[in-house]
Amino acid sequence: MGQGALAEVGYCTLWDRQDRNESGVFRAERQTALCRRFKVAAKTCILYGMSRPSLIQRLGNRVRSTARDAVISHHKRSRAVLFSDTTLRDGEQMPGATLDPDQKLKIALALEAAGVHSLDAGFPASSEADVEAIRRMVGVVRKPVLTALCRTLSGDIDAAERALDGNPVHKRGVSLFCGTSPIHRAEKLNKSKSEILEIITDSVAYAAKSFRIIAFSPEDASRTEMNFLCECYREAIDAGATTIGFPDTVGVLTPEKSADCIKAIQDGVPNIDRALLAVHFHNDLGLAVANTLACIQQGANVVQCTVNGIGERAGNAALEEVVMALALHSDQYERTFRIDTTKLSPLCHLVAELTGVSISRMKPIGGDNIFASEAGIHQDGLLKNPDTYLPFRPEKVGADGIQLVLGRHSGRRAVSHRLEQLQISVSDGVVGQVVEQIKQRPRGTVVDDRLLTTLVNGLTDE
């Protein structure tokens, strides 16, 4: 077997090692099947008198194809949801959220620690800063697949190859996109359907010369005619795409329509068994997370999200929200995932700090209000058992802890609890008087430890 073919067998084996749930038996069976196919191919080549270079090339192509199909088949059978994060590319496109290469690397390492499957690391053809950021990740961010965004242009693909040079073949890929909807074809590209199909097949085939992992996404897929959309996917897969993406580019879909689209793609693309199906939702109607979950339930393999949901216009599906919905409703979705939920809150705050895009206090998972309460009834319940008023405990997402805010709505239990923490011993009567004084404070008054101590001292000194 030639060196290229051996390298591809190694690529398949190495890629498999990241799948923690795969059994040794399954891995052995696949390797045995690969060897069997190689022997059959070799005998065929010898029988028909093929030259050695031709034999090596054909065997290399065959092993690559077999390895690709085996990995894709395994991912589909595992029913694991693979998280592809695009915070560093789509998220950074949000006005005011620009990151420098060092900041991107810091977030990439945090995403790696959280367990994302792949990172949309940047758009190399757009700027040297993106190239530099990707170059810093190569060899440092080792677990996720690093991908680069490309238009369906050979120059973009070449730029991606240079940026990702040095990363193992099973850890680097390209994400190609091309507008396919009627408005994109007519107003932006001025191309016919047949011309669009030719662009797709030519660019995917060109990318296949340098990359083993190739994603193709029809831009504005949610407004593309379904028959033509399926034709685009079919041609892309035949040309070598290993993932096909369904982006709701302008964020117009509902969960029901999103699931219908995925079902139509599953039924309408005859070679879909040879590619993973990914989804990417924008949040213009506030439905990006709901749409993503609907597609997961319908069988999507890959979901692309951003931390804190940052991104163009109203943003993208928030990674942390999708993860926790899956974690809390495993009985409904019956899908596994490999994200460490205890990394989510720190990740949210890291991205907010580095991008300068603050998190709303009411933002799920990462917002300051999530584990804070001022209501007396809720505070009493939380002190007795946190699960009385929380969907999950702070430690589940790596948050600091429950915060009992003292204010007009607080009761005796919360005030007494805080005084005990401060090692201030007072009678129940004094606690009651403190509660009454807090309720009489002007609206918006922050009752911190200093003010609380002052109130107690004023009562006990009398």
Side-chain angles (χ1 to χ4, degrees):
M1 186 182 295
Q3 295 248 343
L6 282 170
E8 292 308 326
V9 173
Y11 139 72
C12 179
T13 304
L14 284 169
W15 193 350
D16 290 343
R17 283 176 188 163
Q18 75 174 313
D19 297 325
R20 302 171 215 161
N21 296 328
E22 182 182 271
S23 69
V25 174
F26 178 76
R27 187 159 50 241
E29 288 176 351
R30 174 152 65 234
Q31 290 170 349
T32 300
L34 284 172
C35 291
R36 188 182 302 116
R37 293 189 184 189
F38 163 70
K39 290 176 182 177
V40 171
K43 289 179 181 178
T44 302
C45 292
I46 294 169
L47 178 64
Y48 287 95
M50 293 181 183
S51 65
R52 182 175 176 80
S54 175
L55 176 137
I56 292 174
Q57 182 179 9
R58 287 173 180 266
L59 288 180
N61 291 339
R62 185 159 188 167
V63 171
R64 279 194 295 270
S65 177
T66 302
R68 179 196 69 181
D69 292 347
V71 170
I72 290 170
S73 176
H74 167 60
H75 280 312
K76 289 194 168 191
R77 283 199 307 272
S78 74
R79 289 187 56 77
V81 177
L82 305 178
F83 280 85
S84 172
D85 185 86
T86 186
T87 303
L88 303 179
R89 201 274 306 164
D90 201 332
E92 197 215 11
Q93 289 178 195
M94 177 179 179
T98 303
L99 297 162
D100 63 36
D102 286 337
Q103 291 172 324
K104 283 193 172 185
L105 177 58
K106 192 171 184 179
I107 293 173
L109 289 169
L111 287 164
E112 177 183 41
V116 298
H117 175 264
S118 62
L119 288 176
D120 187 3
F123 189 177
S126 69
S127 71
E128 281 303 312
D130 269 33
V131 173
E132 183 184 352
I134 294 172
R135 293 300 306 155
R136 293 199 187 186
M137 295 178 209
V138 171
V140 178
V141 182
R142 298 183 178 182
K143 292 180 182 179
V145 177
L146 296 182
T147 65
L149 184 71
C150 302
R151 293 164 294 186
T152 45
L153 300 173
S154 58
D156 282 25
I157 297 167
D158 292 340
E161 183 183 12
R162 290 191 296 272
L164 290 164
D165 182 46
N167 233 36
V169 291
H170 67 291
K171 293 294 184 182
R172 66 188 185 106
V174 285
S175 296
L176 309 180
F177 71 95
C178 178
T180 56
S181 65
I183 191 169
H184 276 239
R185 295 196 307 264
E187 303 297 334
K188 190 178 82 168
L189 301 174
N190 193 26
K191 299 289 185 183
S192 66
K193 288 183 178 180
S194 60
E195 288 174 315
I196 293 294
L197 290 173
E198 184 176 1
I199 289 170
I200 293 169
T201 55
D202 288 350
S203 61
V204 172
Y206 184 82
K209 296 177 182 178
S210 305
F211 292 93
R212 300 291 173 258
I213 300 173
I214 304 165
F216 169 72
S217 292
E219 192 177 20
D220 205 18
S222 56
R223 297 192 296 179
T224 300
E225 309 95 313
M226 185 53 68
N227 287 341
F228 180 57
L229 186 66
C230 289
E231 191 174 3
C232 291
Y233 288 139
R234 185 193 69 214
E235 294 298 322
I237 294 170
D238 279 345
T242 55
T243 298
I244 54 171
F246 177 78
D248 183 17
T249 304
V250 293
V252 296
L253 291 182
T254 63
E256 294 78 12
K257 288 184 177 180
S258 298
D260 287 345
C261 287
I262 297 305
K263 180 67 165 59
I265 293 166
Q266 291 167 330
D267 292 341
V269 180
N271 52 359
I272 197 170
D273 60 310
R274 291 165 47 202
L276 298 176
L277 177 55
V279 295
H280 174 113
F281 287 97
H282 282 265
N283 202 38
D284 296 76
L285 299 179
L287 295 172
V289 169
N291 290 345
T292 301
L293 291 169
C295 292
I296 288 173
Q297 193 152 31
Q298 185 56 47
N301 311 112
V302 183
V303 295
Q304 193 164 64
C305 308
T306 63
V307 177
N308 296 332
I310 64 172
E312 295 274 10
R313 302 185 311 278
N316 295 61
L319 179 143
E320 64 278 5
E321 295 178 28
V322 175
V323 169
M324 287 309 297
L326 291 177
L328 293 182
H329 298 286
S330 58
D331 59 327
Q332 176 182 346
Y333 295 104
E334 298 183 329
R335 303 287 297 274
T336 60
F337 61 89
R338 295 169 185 164
I339 301 294
D340 181 353
T341 63
T342 66
K343 306 291 187 184
L344 293 177
S345 183
L347 181 60
C348 291
H349 289 281
L350 175 67
V351 170
E353 176 190 348
L354 296 182
T355 60
V357 180
S358 60
I359 305 174
S360 165
R361 293 185 62 85
M362 295 170 289
K363 169 74 175 61
I365 318 304
D368 289 342
N369 277 5
I370 303 307
F371 301 109
S373 176
E374 185 185 326
I377 294 175
H378 286 208
Q379 290 177 334
D380 180 61
L382 289 168
L383 286 168
K384 292 174 178 174
N385 185 331
D387 298 330
T388 54
Y389 286 102
L390 290 178
F392 49 86
R393 296 194 179 191
E395 54 268 26
K396 180 74 171 177
V397 294
D400 290 337
I402 297 170
Q403 181 184 5
L404 300 182
V405 180
L406 299 183
R408 289 183 176 183
H409 302 101
S410 299
R412 289 171 176 263
R413 185 74 175 87
V415 171
S416 178
H417 175 75
R418 187 57 189 157
L419 290 173
E420 288 174 10
Q421 289 181 319
L422 296 173
Q423 296 184 336
I424 299 174
S425 179
V426 295
S427 66
D428 289 344
V430 171
V431 171
Q433 289 178 289
V434 170
V435 170
E436 289 306 314
Q437 289 202 17
I438 290 174
K439 292 182 183 298
Q440 293 169 16
R441 288 277 157 177
R443 177 185 174 188
T445 299
V446 176
V447 183
D448 56 17
D449 291 344
R450 182 177 178 180
L451 177 55
L452 181 61
T453 303
T454 299
L455 293 175
V456 171
N457 290 339
L459 292 168
T460 56
D461 290 343
E462 293 177 357

PDB file of all heavy atoms in Angstrom, residues 84-95:
ATOM      1  N   SER A  84     -21.073  22.532  16.702  1.00  0.00           N
ATOM      2  CA  SER A  84     -20.123  23.332  15.939  1.00  0.00           C
ATOM      3  C   SER A  84     -20.288  24.780  16.390  1.00  0.00           C
ATOM      4  O   SER A  84     -21.369  25.351  16.257  1.00  0.00           O
ATOM      5  CB  SER A  84     -20.404  23.209  14.441  1.00  0.00           C
ATOM      6  OG  SER A  84     -19.613  24.132  13.703  1.00  0.00           O
ATOM      7  N   ASP A  85     -19.228  25.360  16.942  1.00  0.00           N
ATOM      8  CA  ASP A  85     -19.339  26.730  17.457  1.00  0.00           C
ATOM      9  C   ASP A  85     -18.817  27.741  16.441  1.00  0.00           C
ATOM     10  O   ASP A  85     -17.738  27.561  15.872  1.00  0.00           O
ATOM     11  CB  ASP A  85     -18.568  26.881  18.758  1.00  0.00           C
ATOM     12  CG  ASP A  85     -18.789  28.257  19.363  1.00  0.00           C
ATOM     13  OD1 ASP A  85     -19.776  28.433  20.095  1.00  0.00           O
ATOM     14  OD2 ASP A  85     -17.992  29.166  19.063  1.00  0.00           O
ATOM     15  N   THR A  86     -19.599  28.801  16.219  1.00  0.00           N
ATOM     16  CA  THR A  86     -19.199  29.838  15.278  1.00  0.00           C
ATOM     17  C   THR A  86     -19.073  31.212  15.933  1.00  0.00           C
ATOM     18  O   THR A  86     -19.198  32.245  15.296  1.00  0.00           O
ATOM     19  CB  THR A  86     -20.165  29.876  14.067  1.00  0.00           C
ATOM     20  OG1 THR A  86     -19.683  30.807  13.093  1.00  0.00           O
ATOM     21  CG2 THR A  86     -21.574  30.251  14.486  1.00  0.00           C
ATOM     22  N   THR A  87     -18.815  31.202  17.252  1.00  0.00           N
ATOM     23  CA  THR A  87     -18.606  32.460  17.977  1.00  0.00           C
ATOM     24  C   THR A  87     -17.467  33.264  17.373  1.00  0.00           C
ATOM     25  O   THR A  87     -17.547  34.497  17.254  1.00  0.00           O
ATOM     26  CB  THR A  87     -18.289  32.164  19.460  1.00  0.00           C
ATOM     27  OG1 THR A  87     -19.352  31.406  20.025  1.00  0.00           O
ATOM     28  CG2 THR A  87     -18.098  33.447  20.246  1.00  0.00           C
ATOM     29  N   LEU A  88     -16.404  32.587  16.962  1.00  0.00           N
ATOM     30  CA  LEU A  88     -15.204  33.269  16.480  1.00  0.00           C
ATOM     31  C   LEU A  88     -15.339  33.764  15.051  1.00  0.00           C
ATOM     32  O   LEU A  88     -14.480  34.515  14.581  1.00  0.00           O
ATOM     33  CB  LEU A  88     -13.998  32.327  16.573  1.00  0.00           C
ATOM     34  CG  LEU A  88     -13.708  31.774  17.970  1.00  0.00           C
ATOM     35  CD1 LEU A  88     -12.521  30.833  17.935  1.00  0.00           C
ATOM     36  CD2 LEU A  88     -13.457  32.918  18.946  1.00  0.00           C
ATOM     37  N   ARG A  89     -16.393  33.363  14.372  1.00  0.00           N
ATOM     38  CA  ARG A  89     -16.592  33.827  12.994  1.00  0.00           C
ATOM     39  C   ARG A  89     -17.915  34.574  12.853  1.00  0.00           C
ATOM     40  O   ARG A  89     -17.936  35.788  12.730  1.00  0.00           O
ATOM     41  CB  ARG A  89     -16.498  32.625  12.039  1.00  0.00           C
ATOM     42  CG  ARG A  89     -16.180  32.995  10.609  1.00  0.00           C
ATOM     43  CD  ARG A  89     -17.404  33.348   9.799  1.00  0.00           C
ATOM     44  NE  ARG A  89     -18.424  32.312   9.831  1.00  0.00           N
ATOM     45  CZ  ARG A  89     -19.678  32.527   9.456  1.00  0.00           C
ATOM     46  NH1 ARG A  89     -20.078  33.726   9.041  1.00  0.00           N
ATOM     47  NH2 ARG A  89     -20.570  31.549   9.522  1.00  0.00           N
ATOM     48  N   ASP A  90     -19.040  33.887  12.950  1.00  0.00           N
ATOM     49  CA  ASP A  90     -20.335  34.555  12.815  1.00  0.00           C
ATOM     50  C   ASP A  90     -20.595  35.472  14.009  1.00  0.00           C
ATOM     51  O   ASP A  90     -21.098  36.592  13.856  1.00  0.00           O
ATOM     52  CB  ASP A  90     -21.448  33.507  12.711  1.00  0.00           C
ATOM     53  CG  ASP A  90     -22.711  34.077  12.082  1.00  0.00           C
ATOM     54  OD1 ASP A  90     -22.950  35.282  12.212  1.00  0.00           O
ATOM     55  OD2 ASP A  90     -23.461  33.303  11.459  1.00  0.00           O
ATOM     56  N   GLY A  91     -20.240  35.004  15.209  1.00  0.00           N
ATOM     57  CA  GLY A  91     -20.439  35.835  16.389  1.00  0.00           C
ATOM     58  C   GLY A  91     -19.647  37.119  16.326  1.00  0.00           C
ATOM     59  O   GLY A  91     -20.119  38.203  16.700  1.00  0.00           O
ATOM     60  N   GLU A  92     -18.420  37.020  15.829  1.00  0.00           N
ATOM     61  CA  GLU A  92     -17.542  38.184  15.762  1.00  0.00           C
ATOM     62  C   GLU A  92     -17.983  39.186  14.697  1.00  0.00           C
ATOM     63  O   GLU A  92     -17.535  40.333  14.700  1.00  0.00           O
ATOM     64  CB  GLU A  92     -16.108  37.719  15.493  1.00  0.00           C
ATOM     65  CG  GLU A  92     -15.066  38.765  15.804  1.00  0.00           C
ATOM     66  CD  GLU A  92     -13.879  38.714  14.853  1.00  0.00           C
ATOM     67  OE1 GLU A  92     -13.963  38.010  13.829  1.00  0.00           O
ATOM     68  OE2 GLU A  92     -12.893  39.402  15.123  1.00  0.00           O
ATOM     69  N   GLN A  93     -18.850  38.757  13.790  1.00  0.00           N
ATOM     70  CA  GLN A  93     -19.364  39.677  12.771  1.00  0.00           C
ATOM     71  C   GLN A  93     -20.351  40.690  13.348  1.00  0.00           C
ATOM     72  O   GLN A  93     -20.708  41.658  12.688  1.00  0.00           O
ATOM     73  CB  GLN A  93     -20.046  38.884  11.646  1.00  0.00           C
ATOM     74  CG  GLN A  93     -19.075  38.112  10.784  1.00  0.00           C
ATOM     75  CD  GLN A  93     -19.757  37.298   9.701  1.00  0.00           C
ATOM     76  OE1 GLN A  93     -19.148  36.417   9.110  1.00  0.00           O
ATOM     77  NE2 GLN A  93     -21.009  37.575   9.421  1.00  0.00           N
ATOM     78  N   MET A  94     -20.782  40.444  14.586  1.00  0.00           N
ATOM     79  CA  MET A  94     -21.670  41.391  15.253  1.00  0.00           C
ATOM     80  C   MET A  94     -20.950  42.725  15.408  1.00  0.00           C
ATOM     81  O   MET A  94     -19.806  42.777  15.843  1.00  0.00           O
ATOM     82  CB  MET A  94     -22.049  40.831  16.623  1.00  0.00           C
ATOM     83  CG  MET A  94     -22.918  41.743  17.453  1.00  0.00           C
ATOM     84  SD  MET A  94     -23.325  40.953  19.037  1.00  0.00           S
ATOM     85  CE  MET A  94     -24.291  42.246  19.792  1.00  0.00           C
ATOM     86  N   PRO A  95     -21.584  43.829  15.036  1.00  0.00           N
ATOM     87  CA  PRO A  95     -20.940  45.140  15.173  1.00  0.00           C
ATOM     88  C   PRO A  95     -20.426  45.358  16.595  1.00  0.00           C
ATOM     89  O   PRO A  95     -21.154  45.176  17.571  1.00  0.00           O
ATOM     90  CB  PRO A  95     -22.069  46.120  14.833  1.00  0.00           C
ATOM     91  CG  PRO A  95     -22.966  45.360  13.919  1.00  0.00           C
ATOM     92  CD  PRO A  95     -22.927  43.951  14.424  1.00  0.00           C
TER      93      PRO A  95
END
